[in-house]
Every structure is written in structure tokens, then in C-alpha cells.
Amino acid sequence: MKNIFKIAALGAVLVMGTTSCEKDSNNVIDQVFDGVTSGAVLRTINIVSNELPLGDESASFQVEIEEQDAQDGDLLESVDVYLTFADGSADEGDSSGGTTDEVFIRNIPASEFSPGPFGLPRTTYTITLSEMLSAVGLTGDQIFGGDTFTTRMSLNLTDGRVFSVDNAGGIITGGFFASPFQYTTPVVCPVGEEEFLGAYQITNGVPG
């Protein structure tokens, strides 16, 4: 009789053990991850140039980017590029302290990307100052040092999802992934080699 009770107890334990291993739809962890999907980023590999000296319309913004998604780049459809100008020197130039509306520059298809060292798609995007001015409807004499051009990128996936700066968290834009989705390029005043030669004494006019 004791053996019968032992066998019955063991059977109950096995049933309970089997039941506890089955998925419970009410588990907290299942609720946390319910509906969670993997996104995608445009990782900054190298900012080649990001300065626009006055008078040099061949100067450019150039950046190398890498697309990363849950399928190792297979979800990449294209990248849209947009541009905005902001006048940071209202007393100079002739842009009246304005900020232009964002304008569409171009679409970069997946075919213009090529596999990088880790097999993920990479490309280098370049836009010159001359192209920037034309896009926002300005001329070279309407800009001055302190003005900025902002290039924004929008990543389009084959499943219809779109990622850009407006739906990327801080860990994406400024963390490990280095994926800000947008870059601000300043207009600068070039300093000639013949300027500011010799020794100078600098005085701080603000106490402390």
C-alpha cells in the first residue's frame, strides 16, 4: 500500500512539473515582450568632412554609414535624404535670420550600398555646399559663419517601416549604435595662412 502511495505521489509531481514548463500566456515576461519587434539603424562609420568654409562651394558634407537590421541588412529598401538651412548670423549675409523648410534631396536605393567588413550594407553620402545652396534656394552671398545646414536621413525597410530621428531613442542616436539619423554642418569663416601671425597676449575680460 505504501508503494502505491509513493507511485501516486511521483505521478502528481511529474504532472505538476510538466504543467509548469508549459507556456503561460499570463506570464509577466510574455506581456512585456508582446508586440515587440526589432528596429533598424543607420550607424555612423566615419564623418569624412563636416565643415563648409565661406567661398568654397566645392566644400562638402560627407559621411559613411552602415545599415543594421534584424536580417543583417536584407530589410534595407532605401534611404531618403532631407536638408534644412538655419541662419545663425542674422547680422551677416542676406537670409534675414530665417530657417528654411526641410527639402527632399534624393533617395539612395539599396543597390548603392555594398557589403562592409561585417557583411552589413555600407555607403558614403556626399553633398557639396553648392548643391545645398541650390536645394534651399540661396546663393553664396546669403550665408555667413555661424549658419548651419542639417542633413536628415530616413531609413525605409522592405516591410514598410520607416526609421529616422523622430522615432529613435537616445541609446540609438547617441549611444553604442552612433545612429543620429541627422547631421548639422556649420558654415565657417576660413582663416588665411597670412593671418594671425606672431605672438599674442590673451586677456580674459570676465572676472573669475
Side-chain angles (χ1 to χ4, degrees):
M1 180 64 71
K2 290 182 179 179
N3 289 335
I4 293 176
F5 282 119
K6 288 181 180 178
I7 294 173
L10 178 61
V13 171
L14 289 174
V15 171
M16 291 176 65
T18 303
T19 303
S20 65
C21 291
E22 294 177 355
K23 183 177 180 180
D24 183 356
S25 61
N26 292 321
N27 284 344
V28 174
I29 191 65
D30 293 330
Q31 296 175 20
V32 170
F33 286 102
D34 183 37
V36 174
T37 57
S38 298
V41 300
L42 286 176
R43 182 166 165 255
T44 303
I45 300 301
N46 181 31
I47 297 180
V48 182
S49 61
N50 195 33
E51 217 174 53
L52 305 170
L54 279 174
D56 183 6
E57 294 194 8
S58 65
S60 66
F61 163 66
Q62 186 177 70
V63 63
E64 182 183 12
I65 55 175
E66 178 181 80
E67 194 271 353
Q68 298 183 9
D69 59 51
Q71 296 185 22
D72 296 328
D74 288 343
L75 290 177
L76 172 62
E77 193 275 328
S78 66
V79 173
D80 290 327
V81 182
Y82 301 86
L83 185 71
T84 308
F85 168 80
D87 187 354
S89 54
D91 296 332
E92 302 288 348
D94 187 30
S95 48
S96 303
T99 298
T100 66
D101 292 333
E102 185 177 71
V103 295
F104 174 76
I105 300 298
R106 64 161 300 198
N107 174 272
I108 308 173
S111 59
E112 291 190 23
F113 286 72
S114 57
F118 306 108
L120 297 172
R122 289 189 180 187
T123 191
T124 297
Y125 173 74
T126 305
I127 182 170
T128 65
L129 173 57
S130 177
E131 293 170 328
M132 291 179 176
L133 290 170
S134 176
V136 298
L138 295 174
T139 59
D141 60 1
Q142 291 178 290
I143 62 174
F144 197 74
D147 297 346
T148 58
F149 289 88
T150 297
T151 302
R152 182 177 72 85
M153 296 184 176
S154 181
L155 172 58
N156 307 308
L157 301 185
T158 55
D159 59 13
R161 290 181 295 162
V162 178
F163 293 94
S164 191
V165 66
D166 56 345
N167 60 354
I171 192 174
I172 299 298
T173 59
F176 168 77
F177 292 101
S179 179
F181 285 101
Q182 69 177 15
Y183 307 86
T184 298
T185 307
V187 176
V188 299
C189 300
V191 178
E193 295 182 0
E194 74 286 355
E195 297 181 83
F196 299 105
L197 301 178
Y200 289 83
Q201 179 178 343
I202 299 176
T203 302
N204 184 4
V206 180

PDB file of all heavy atoms in Angstrom, residues 85-123:
ATOM      1  N   PHE A  85      18.184  74.549 -43.768  1.00  0.00           N
ATOM      2  CA  PHE A  85      19.161  75.612 -43.509  1.00  0.00           C
ATOM      3  C   PHE A  85      18.676  76.469 -42.354  1.00  0.00           C
ATOM      4  O   PHE A  85      17.484  76.789 -42.254  1.00  0.00           O
ATOM      5  CB  PHE A  85      19.347  76.499 -44.743  1.00  0.00           C
ATOM      6  CG  PHE A  85      20.120  77.761 -44.459  1.00  0.00           C
ATOM      7  CD1 PHE A  85      21.500  77.748 -44.386  1.00  0.00           C
ATOM      8  CD2 PHE A  85      19.461  78.972 -44.247  1.00  0.00           C
ATOM      9  CE1 PHE A  85      22.217  78.911 -44.104  1.00  0.00           C
ATOM     10  CE2 PHE A  85      20.160  80.135 -43.974  1.00  0.00           C
ATOM     11  CZ  PHE A  85      21.554  80.108 -43.900  1.00  0.00           C
ATOM     12  N   ALA A  86      19.598  76.850 -41.458  1.00  0.00           N
ATOM     13  CA  ALA A  86      19.259  77.750 -40.348  1.00  0.00           C
ATOM     14  C   ALA A  86      20.271  78.882 -40.298  1.00  0.00           C
ATOM     15  O   ALA A  86      21.481  78.647 -40.328  1.00  0.00           O
ATOM     16  CB  ALA A  86      19.259  76.985 -39.029  1.00  0.00           C
ATOM     17  N   ASP A  87      19.778  80.120 -40.241  1.00  0.00           N
ATOM     18  CA  ASP A  87      20.633  81.294 -40.195  1.00  0.00           C
ATOM     19  C   ASP A  87      21.056  81.557 -38.755  1.00  0.00           C
ATOM     20  O   ASP A  87      20.246  81.936 -37.919  1.00  0.00           O
ATOM     21  CB  ASP A  87      19.874  82.496 -40.752  1.00  0.00           C
ATOM     22  CG  ASP A  87      20.760  83.729 -40.889  1.00  0.00           C
ATOM     23  OD1 ASP A  87      21.930  83.671 -40.439  1.00  0.00           O
ATOM     24  OD2 ASP A  87      20.294  84.729 -41.441  1.00  0.00           O
ATOM     25  N   GLY A  88      22.359  81.366 -38.478  1.00  0.00           N
ATOM     26  CA  GLY A  88      22.859  81.618 -37.141  1.00  0.00           C
ATOM     27  C   GLY A  88      23.591  82.926 -37.035  1.00  0.00           C
ATOM     28  O   GLY A  88      24.226  83.210 -36.024  1.00  0.00           O
ATOM     29  N   SER A  89      23.521  83.735 -38.094  1.00  0.00           N
ATOM     30  CA  SER A  89      24.225  85.030 -38.117  1.00  0.00           C
ATOM     31  C   SER A  89      23.312  86.072 -38.746  1.00  0.00           C
ATOM     32  O   SER A  89      23.516  86.486 -39.888  1.00  0.00           O
ATOM     33  CB  SER A  89      25.528  84.913 -38.908  1.00  0.00           C
ATOM     34  OG  SER A  89      25.270  84.394 -40.201  1.00  0.00           O
ATOM     35  N   ALA A  90      22.307  86.468 -38.008  1.00  0.00           N
ATOM     36  CA  ALA A  90      21.279  87.368 -38.548  1.00  0.00           C
ATOM     37  C   ALA A  90      21.832  88.709 -39.019  1.00  0.00           C
ATOM     38  O   ALA A  90      21.243  89.367 -39.882  1.00  0.00           O
ATOM     39  CB  ALA A  90      20.199  87.599 -37.497  1.00  0.00           C
ATOM     40  N   ASP A  91      22.980  89.117 -38.475  1.00  0.00           N
ATOM     41  CA  ASP A  91      23.550  90.421 -38.836  1.00  0.00           C
ATOM     42  C   ASP A  91      24.448  90.364 -40.066  1.00  0.00           C
ATOM     43  O   ASP A  91      24.946  91.383 -40.524  1.00  0.00           O
ATOM     44  CB  ASP A  91      24.361  90.983 -37.660  1.00  0.00           C
ATOM     45  CG  ASP A  91      23.484  91.270 -36.452  1.00  0.00           C
ATOM     46  OD1 ASP A  91      22.294  91.548 -36.663  1.00  0.00           O
ATOM     47  OD2 ASP A  91      23.988  91.206 -35.317  1.00  0.00           O
ATOM     48  N   GLU A  92      24.664  89.160 -40.580  1.00  0.00           N
ATOM     49  CA  GLU A  92      25.527  88.989 -41.748  1.00  0.00           C
ATOM     50  C   GLU A  92      24.764  88.241 -42.838  1.00  0.00           C
ATOM     51  O   GLU A  92      23.731  87.634 -42.607  1.00  0.00           O
ATOM     52  CB  GLU A  92      26.795  88.208 -41.372  1.00  0.00           C
ATOM     53  CG  GLU A  92      27.632  88.852 -40.269  1.00  0.00           C
ATOM     54  CD  GLU A  92      28.355  90.093 -40.727  1.00  0.00           C
ATOM     55  OE1 GLU A  92      28.399  90.331 -41.949  1.00  0.00           O
ATOM     56  OE2 GLU A  92      28.890  90.824 -39.875  1.00  0.00           O
ATOM     57  N   GLY A  93      25.301  88.312 -44.055  1.00  0.00           N
ATOM     58  CA  GLY A  93      24.631  87.619 -45.159  1.00  0.00           C
ATOM     59  C   GLY A  93      23.325  88.304 -45.499  1.00  0.00           C
ATOM     60  O   GLY A  93      23.100  89.457 -45.178  1.00  0.00           O
ATOM     61  N   ASP A  94      22.429  87.545 -46.119  1.00  0.00           N
ATOM     62  CA  ASP A  94      21.178  88.160 -46.554  1.00  0.00           C
ATOM     63  C   ASP A  94      20.030  87.160 -46.467  1.00  0.00           C
ATOM     64  O   ASP A  94      19.156  87.120 -47.317  1.00  0.00           O
ATOM     65  CB  ASP A  94      21.323  88.675 -47.989  1.00  0.00           C
ATOM     66  CG  ASP A  94      20.109  89.482 -48.431  1.00  0.00           C
ATOM     67  OD1 ASP A  94      19.476  90.100 -47.563  1.00  0.00           O
ATOM     68  OD2 ASP A  94      19.796  89.452 -49.629  1.00  0.00           O
ATOM     69  N   SER A  95      20.043  86.332 -45.426  1.00  0.00           N
ATOM     70  CA  SER A  95      18.984  85.337 -45.295  1.00  0.00           C
ATOM     71  C   SER A  95      17.962  85.722 -44.231  1.00  0.00           C
ATOM     72  O   SER A  95      17.085  84.933 -43.887  1.00  0.00           O
ATOM     73  CB  SER A  95      19.582  83.958 -44.961  1.00  0.00           C
ATOM     74  OG  SER A  95      20.506  84.060 -43.905  1.00  0.00           O
ATOM     75  N   SER A  96      18.098  86.935 -43.689  1.00  0.00           N
ATOM     76  CA  SER A  96      17.092  87.515 -42.791  1.00  0.00           C
ATOM     77  C   SER A  96      16.819  86.671 -41.558  1.00  0.00           C
ATOM     78  O   SER A  96      15.688  86.614 -41.071  1.00  0.00           O
ATOM     79  CB  SER A  96      15.782  87.742 -43.565  1.00  0.00           C
ATOM     80  OG  SER A  96      16.029  88.572 -44.675  1.00  0.00           O
ATOM     81  N   GLY A  97      17.846  86.009 -41.061  1.00  0.00           N
ATOM     82  CA  GLY A  97      17.689  85.240 -39.822  1.00  0.00           C
ATOM     83  C   GLY A  97      16.713  84.094 -39.956  1.00  0.00           C
ATOM     84  O   GLY A  97      16.156  83.629 -38.964  1.00  0.00           O
ATOM     85  N   GLY A  98      16.469  83.616 -41.158  1.00  0.00           N
ATOM     86  CA  GLY A  98      15.448  82.599 -41.358  1.00  0.00           C
ATOM     87  C   GLY A  98      15.932  81.167 -41.280  1.00  0.00           C
ATOM     88  O   GLY A  98      17.119  80.884 -41.286  1.00  0.00           O
ATOM     89  N   THR A  99      14.978  80.289 -41.190  1.00  0.00           N
ATOM     90  CA  THR A  99      15.225  78.842 -41.263  1.00  0.00           C
ATOM     91  C   THR A  99      14.344  78.304 -42.375  1.00  0.00           C
ATOM     92  O   THR A  99      13.126  78.523 -42.364  1.00  0.00           O
ATOM     93  CB  THR A  99      14.874  78.149 -39.936  1.00  0.00           C
ATOM     94  OG1 THR A  99      15.721  78.663 -38.897  1.00  0.00           O
ATOM     95  CG2 THR A  99      15.075  76.648 -40.041  1.00  0.00           C
ATOM     96  N   THR A 100      14.934  77.617 -43.307  1.00  0.00           N
ATOM     97  CA  THR A 100      14.146  77.116 -44.438  1.00  0.00           C
ATOM     98  C   THR A 100      13.352  75.879 -44.031  1.00  0.00           C
ATOM     99  O   THR A 100      13.695  75.190 -43.074  1.00  0.00           O
ATOM    100  CB  THR A 100      15.059  76.738 -45.622  1.00  0.00           C
ATOM    101  OG1 THR A 100      15.885  75.624 -45.241  1.00  0.00           O
ATOM    102  CG2 THR A 100      15.942  77.906 -46.026  1.00  0.00           C
ATOM    103  N   ASP A 101      12.296  75.610 -44.763  1.00  0.00           N
ATOM    104  CA  ASP A 101      11.570  74.359 -44.578  1.00  0.00           C
ATOM    105  C   ASP A 101      12.462  73.214 -45.038  1.00  0.00           C
ATOM    106  O   ASP A 101      13.327  73.382 -45.894  1.00  0.00           O
ATOM    107  CB  ASP A 101      10.280  74.362 -45.405  1.00  0.00           C
ATOM    108  CG  ASP A 101       9.265  75.365 -44.875  1.00  0.00           C
ATOM    109  OD1 ASP A 101       9.306  75.665 -43.664  1.00  0.00           O
ATOM    110  OD2 ASP A 101       8.457  75.862 -45.688  1.00  0.00           O
ATOM    111  N   GLU A 102      12.234  72.041 -44.472  1.00  0.00           N
ATOM    112  CA  GLU A 102      13.008  70.870 -44.875  1.00  0.00           C
ATOM    113  C   GLU A 102      12.674  70.508 -46.314  1.00  0.00           C
ATOM    114  O   GLU A 102      11.503  70.473 -46.711  1.00  0.00           O
ATOM    115  CB  GLU A 102      12.674  69.693 -43.946  1.00  0.00           C
ATOM    116  CG  GLU A 102      13.524  68.455 -44.205  1.00  0.00           C
ATOM    117  CD  GLU A 102      13.221  67.335 -43.240  1.00  0.00           C
ATOM    118  OE1 GLU A 102      12.131  66.738 -43.356  1.00  0.00           O
ATOM    119  OE2 GLU A 102      14.071  67.045 -42.371  1.00  0.00           O
ATOM    120  N   VAL A 103      13.712  70.250 -47.121  1.00  0.00           N
ATOM    121  CA  VAL A 103      13.503  69.900 -48.521  1.00  0.00           C
ATOM    122  C   VAL A 103      14.072  68.510 -48.791  1.00  0.00           C
ATOM    123  O   VAL A 103      15.070  68.105 -48.204  1.00  0.00           O
ATOM    124  CB  VAL A 103      14.161  70.929 -49.478  1.00  0.00           C
ATOM    125  CG1 VAL A 103      13.496  72.275 -49.340  1.00  0.00           C
ATOM    126  CG2 VAL A 103      15.654  71.049 -49.208  1.00  0.00           C
ATOM    127  N   PHE A 104      13.403  67.788 -49.679  1.00  0.00           N
ATOM    128  CA  PHE A 104      13.866  66.454 -50.074  1.00  0.00           C
ATOM    129  C   PHE A 104      15.030  66.600 -51.047  1.00  0.00           C
ATOM    130  O   PHE A 104      14.958  67.361 -52.010  1.00  0.00           O
ATOM    131  CB  PHE A 104      12.723  65.677 -50.727  1.00  0.00           C
ATOM    132  CG  PHE A 104      13.133  64.353 -51.303  1.00  0.00           C
ATOM    133  CD1 PHE A 104      13.375  63.263 -50.483  1.00  0.00           C
ATOM    134  CD2 PHE A 104      13.284  64.199 -52.680  1.00  0.00           C
ATOM    135  CE1 PHE A 104      13.745  62.035 -51.014  1.00  0.00           C
ATOM    136  CE2 PHE A 104      13.664  62.976 -53.219  1.00  0.00           C
ATOM    137  CZ  PHE A 104      13.888  61.896 -52.384  1.00  0.00           C
ATOM    138  N   ILE A 105      16.120  65.862 -50.788  1.00  0.00           N
ATOM    139  CA  ILE A 105      17.296  65.922 -51.646  1.00  0.00           C
ATOM    140  C   ILE A 105      17.344  64.762 -52.633  1.00  0.00           C
ATOM    141  O   ILE A 105      17.398  64.969 -53.842  1.00  0.00           O
ATOM    142  CB  ILE A 105      18.591  65.938 -50.809  1.00  0.00           C
ATOM    143  CG1 ILE A 105      18.609  67.162 -49.888  1.00  0.00           C
ATOM    144  CG2 ILE A 105      19.822  65.953 -51.718  1.00  0.00           C
ATOM    145  CD1 ILE A 105      18.590  68.485 -50.623  1.00  0.00           C
ATOM    146  N   ARG A 106      17.298  63.547 -52.116  1.00  0.00           N
ATOM    147  CA  ARG A 106      17.348  62.382 -53.005  1.00  0.00           C
ATOM    148  C   ARG A 106      17.034  61.105 -52.238  1.00  0.00           C
ATOM    149  O   ARG A 106      16.991  61.068 -51.021  1.00  0.00           O
ATOM    150  CB  ARG A 106      18.727  62.240 -53.640  1.00  0.00           C
ATOM    151  CG  ARG A 106      19.865  61.962 -52.669  1.00  0.00           C
ATOM    152  CD  ARG A 106      21.094  61.392 -53.376  1.00  0.00           C
ATOM    153  NE  ARG A 106      20.781  60.134 -54.040  1.00  0.00           N
ATOM    154  CZ  ARG A 106      21.701  59.259 -54.433  1.00  0.00           C
ATOM    155  NH1 ARG A 106      22.986  59.520 -54.271  1.00  0.00           N
ATOM    156  NH2 ARG A 106      21.362  58.129 -55.011  1.00  0.00           N
ATOM    157  N   ASN A 107      16.816  60.038 -53.020  1.00  0.00           N
ATOM    158  CA  ASN A 107      16.613  58.701 -52.470  1.00  0.00           C
ATOM    159  C   ASN A 107      17.832  57.850 -52.816  1.00  0.00           C
ATOM    160  O   ASN A 107      18.259  57.816 -53.969  1.00  0.00           O
ATOM    161  CB  ASN A 107      15.335  58.071 -53.041  1.00  0.00           C
ATOM    162  CG  ASN A 107      15.154  56.621 -52.618  1.00  0.00           C
ATOM    163  OD1 ASN A 107      15.639  55.716 -53.273  1.00  0.00           O
ATOM    164  ND2 ASN A 107      14.453  56.421 -51.522  1.00  0.00           N
ATOM    165  N   ILE A 108      18.404  57.197 -51.796  1.00  0.00           N
ATOM    166  CA  ILE A 108      19.538  56.311 -52.019  1.00  0.00           C
ATOM    167  C   ILE A 108      19.023  54.875 -51.975  1.00  0.00           C
ATOM    168  O   ILE A 108      18.680  54.355 -50.909  1.00  0.00           O
ATOM    169  CB  ILE A 108      20.621  56.485 -50.929  1.00  0.00           C
ATOM    170  CG1 ILE A 108      21.008  57.956 -50.771  1.00  0.00           C
ATOM    171  CG2 ILE A 108      21.855  55.646 -51.256  1.00  0.00           C
ATOM    172  CD1 ILE A 108      21.952  58.214 -49.610  1.00  0.00           C
ATOM    173  N   PRO A 109      18.951  54.180 -53.118  1.00  0.00           N
ATOM    174  CA  PRO A 109      18.433  52.810 -53.131  1.00  0.00           C
ATOM    175  C   PRO A 109      19.425  51.826 -52.518  1.00  0.00           C
ATOM    176  O   PRO A 109      20.629  52.119 -52.410  1.00  0.00           O
ATOM    177  CB  PRO A 109      18.226  52.541 -54.623  1.00  0.00           C
ATOM    178  CG  PRO A 109      19.236  53.412 -55.289  1.00  0.00           C
ATOM    179  CD  PRO A 109      19.331  54.649 -54.463  1.00  0.00           C
ATOM    180  N   ALA A 110      18.930  50.668 -52.137  1.00  0.00           N
ATOM    181  CA  ALA A 110      19.787  49.630 -51.553  1.00  0.00           C
ATOM    182  C   ALA A 110      20.906  49.226 -52.496  1.00  0.00           C
ATOM    183  O   ALA A 110      21.976  48.802 -52.051  1.00  0.00           O
ATOM    184  CB  ALA A 110      18.938  48.414 -51.181  1.00  0.00           C
ATOM    185  N   SER A 111      20.677  49.379 -53.806  1.00  0.00           N
ATOM    186  CA  SER A 111      21.681  48.988 -54.799  1.00  0.00           C
ATOM    187  C   SER A 111      22.953  49.826 -54.711  1.00  0.00           C
ATOM    188  O   SER A 111      24.003  49.426 -55.222  1.00  0.00           O
ATOM    189  CB  SER A 111      21.092  49.083 -56.209  1.00  0.00           C
ATOM    190  OG  SER A 111      20.665  50.407 -56.479  1.00  0.00           O
ATOM    191  N   GLU A 112      22.881  51.011 -54.061  1.00  0.00           N
ATOM    192  CA  GLU A 112      24.057  51.858 -53.921  1.00  0.00           C
ATOM    193  C   GLU A 112      24.858  51.532 -52.661  1.00  0.00           C
ATOM    194  O   GLU A 112      25.886  52.150 -52.392  1.00  0.00           O
ATOM    195  CB  GLU A 112      23.651  53.333 -53.927  1.00  0.00           C
ATOM    196  CG  GLU A 112      23.141  53.814 -55.278  1.00  0.00           C
ATOM    197  CD  GLU A 112      22.968  55.325 -55.337  1.00  0.00           C
ATOM    198  OE1 GLU A 112      23.617  56.026 -54.536  1.00  0.00           O
ATOM    199  OE2 GLU A 112      22.173  55.790 -56.178  1.00  0.00           O
ATOM    200  N   PHE A 113      24.378  50.575 -51.889  1.00  0.00           N
ATOM    201  CA  PHE A 113      25.115  50.091 -50.722  1.00  0.00           C
ATOM    202  C   PHE A 113      25.911  48.854 -51.127  1.00  0.00           C
ATOM    203  O   PHE A 113      25.515  48.119 -52.026  1.00  0.00           O
ATOM    204  CB  PHE A 113      24.157  49.710 -49.586  1.00  0.00           C
ATOM    205  CG  PHE A 113      23.535  50.877 -48.871  1.00  0.00           C
ATOM    206  CD1 PHE A 113      22.553  51.650 -49.479  1.00  0.00           C
ATOM    207  CD2 PHE A 113      23.909  51.191 -47.572  1.00  0.00           C
ATOM    208  CE1 PHE A 113      21.957  52.716 -48.811  1.00  0.00           C
ATOM    209  CE2 PHE A 113      23.322  52.263 -46.896  1.00  0.00           C
ATOM    210  CZ  PHE A 113      22.346  53.020 -47.516  1.00  0.00           C
ATOM    211  N   SER A 114      27.012  48.620 -50.454  1.00  0.00           N
ATOM    212  CA  SER A 114      27.818  47.420 -50.707  1.00  0.00           C
ATOM    213  C   SER A 114      28.237  46.826 -49.359  1.00  0.00           C
ATOM    214  O   SER A 114      28.329  47.547 -48.355  1.00  0.00           O
ATOM    215  CB  SER A 114      29.041  47.755 -51.554  1.00  0.00           C
ATOM    216  OG  SER A 114      29.823  48.760 -50.939  1.00  0.00           O
ATOM    217  N   PRO A 115      28.506  45.522 -49.307  1.00  0.00           N
ATOM    218  CA  PRO A 115      28.843  44.868 -48.038  1.00  0.00           C
ATOM    219  C   PRO A 115      30.115  45.437 -47.408  1.00  0.00           C
ATOM    220  O   PRO A 115      31.128  45.623 -48.086  1.00  0.00           O
ATOM    221  CB  PRO A 115      29.043  43.401 -48.436  1.00  0.00           C
ATOM    222  CG  PRO A 115      28.256  43.253 -49.704  1.00  0.00           C
ATOM    223  CD  PRO A 115      28.403  44.551 -50.415  1.00  0.00           C
ATOM    224  N   GLY A 116      30.032  45.727 -46.110  1.00  0.00           N
ATOM    225  CA  GLY A 116      31.195  46.205 -45.375  1.00  0.00           C
ATOM    226  C   GLY A 116      31.973  45.051 -44.782  1.00  0.00           C
ATOM    227  O   GLY A 116      31.712  43.884 -45.106  1.00  0.00           O
ATOM    228  N   PRO A 117      32.910  45.333 -43.884  1.00  0.00           N
ATOM    229  CA  PRO A 117      33.752  44.288 -43.287  1.00  0.00           C
ATOM    230  C   PRO A 117      32.969  43.207 -42.544  1.00  0.00           C
ATOM    231  O   PRO A 117      33.441  42.081 -42.408  1.00  0.00           O
ATOM    232  CB  PRO A 117      34.647  45.079 -42.322  1.00  0.00           C
ATOM    233  CG  PRO A 117      34.664  46.465 -42.864  1.00  0.00           C
ATOM    234  CD  PRO A 117      33.312  46.678 -43.449  1.00  0.00           C
ATOM    235  N   PHE A 118      31.768  43.565 -42.044  1.00  0.00           N
ATOM    236  CA  PHE A 118      30.967  42.604 -41.284  1.00  0.00           C
ATOM    237  C   PHE A 118      29.783  42.076 -42.104  1.00  0.00           C
ATOM    238  O   PHE A 118      28.866  41.477 -41.554  1.00  0.00           O
ATOM    239  CB  PHE A 118      30.466  43.251 -40.000  1.00  0.00           C
ATOM    240  CG  PHE A 118      31.568  43.851 -39.168  1.00  0.00           C
ATOM    241  CD1 PHE A 118      31.705  45.228 -39.068  1.00  0.00           C
ATOM    242  CD2 PHE A 118      32.492  43.049 -38.521  1.00  0.00           C
ATOM    243  CE1 PHE A 118      32.730  45.789 -38.322  1.00  0.00           C
ATOM    244  CE2 PHE A 118      33.522  43.605 -37.771  1.00  0.00           C
ATOM    245  CZ  PHE A 118      33.647  44.977 -37.672  1.00  0.00           C
ATOM    246  N   GLY A 119      29.808  42.341 -43.411  1.00  0.00           N
ATOM    247  CA  GLY A 119      28.748  41.860 -44.282  1.00  0.00           C
ATOM    248  C   GLY A 119      27.512  42.725 -44.299  1.00  0.00           C
ATOM    249  O   GLY A 119      26.553  42.431 -45.022  1.00  0.00           O
ATOM    250  N   LEU A 120      27.508  43.807 -43.530  1.00  0.00           N
ATOM    251  CA  LEU A 120      26.358  44.712 -43.498  1.00  0.00           C
ATOM    252  C   LEU A 120      26.511  45.792 -44.564  1.00  0.00           C
ATOM    253  O   LEU A 120      27.631  46.201 -44.882  1.00  0.00           O
ATOM    254  CB  LEU A 120      26.248  45.359 -42.119  1.00  0.00           C
ATOM    255  CG  LEU A 120      25.999  44.397 -40.955  1.00  0.00           C
ATOM    256  CD1 LEU A 120      26.116  45.121 -39.621  1.00  0.00           C
ATOM    257  CD2 LEU A 120      24.633  43.741 -41.084  1.00  0.00           C
ATOM    258  N   PRO A 121      25.400  46.262 -45.136  1.00  0.00           N
ATOM    259  CA  PRO A 121      25.466  47.243 -46.232  1.00  0.00           C
ATOM    260  C   PRO A 121      25.987  48.610 -45.799  1.00  0.00           C
ATOM    261  O   PRO A 121      25.535  49.174 -44.804  1.00  0.00           O
ATOM    262  CB  PRO A 121      24.009  47.337 -46.714  1.00  0.00           C
ATOM    263  CG  PRO A 121      23.186  46.869 -45.567  1.00  0.00           C
ATOM    264  CD  PRO A 121      24.008  45.847 -44.848  1.00  0.00           C
ATOM    265  N   ARG A 122      26.952  49.140 -46.579  1.00  0.00           N
ATOM    266  CA  ARG A 122      27.531  50.455 -46.313  1.00  0.00           C
ATOM    267  C   ARG A 122      27.504  51.308 -47.567  1.00  0.00           C
ATOM    268  O   ARG A 122      27.528  50.798 -48.683  1.00  0.00           O
ATOM    269  CB  ARG A 122      28.980  50.334 -45.834  1.00  0.00           C
ATOM    270  CG  ARG A 122      29.158  49.782 -44.442  1.00  0.00           C
ATOM    271  CD  ARG A 122      30.613  49.901 -43.980  1.00  0.00           C
ATOM    272  NE  ARG A 122      30.806  49.372 -42.644  1.00  0.00           N
ATOM    273  CZ  ARG A 122      31.927  49.472 -41.948  1.00  0.00           C
ATOM    274  NH1 ARG A 122      32.981  50.102 -42.478  1.00  0.00           N
ATOM    275  NH2 ARG A 122      32.033  48.962 -40.732  1.00  0.00           N
ATOM    276  N   THR A 123      27.485  52.626 -47.339  1.00  0.00           N
ATOM    277  CA  THR A 123      27.606  53.562 -48.452  1.00  0.00           C
ATOM    278  C   THR A 123      28.171  54.877 -47.911  1.00  0.00           C
ATOM    279  O   THR A 123      28.119  55.134 -46.709  1.00  0.00           O
ATOM    280  CB  THR A 123      26.255  53.814 -49.147  1.00  0.00           C
ATOM    281  OG1 THR A 123      26.468  54.522 -50.374  1.00  0.00           O
ATOM    282  CG2 THR A 123      25.320  54.648 -48.271  1.00  0.00           C
TER     283      THR A 123
END
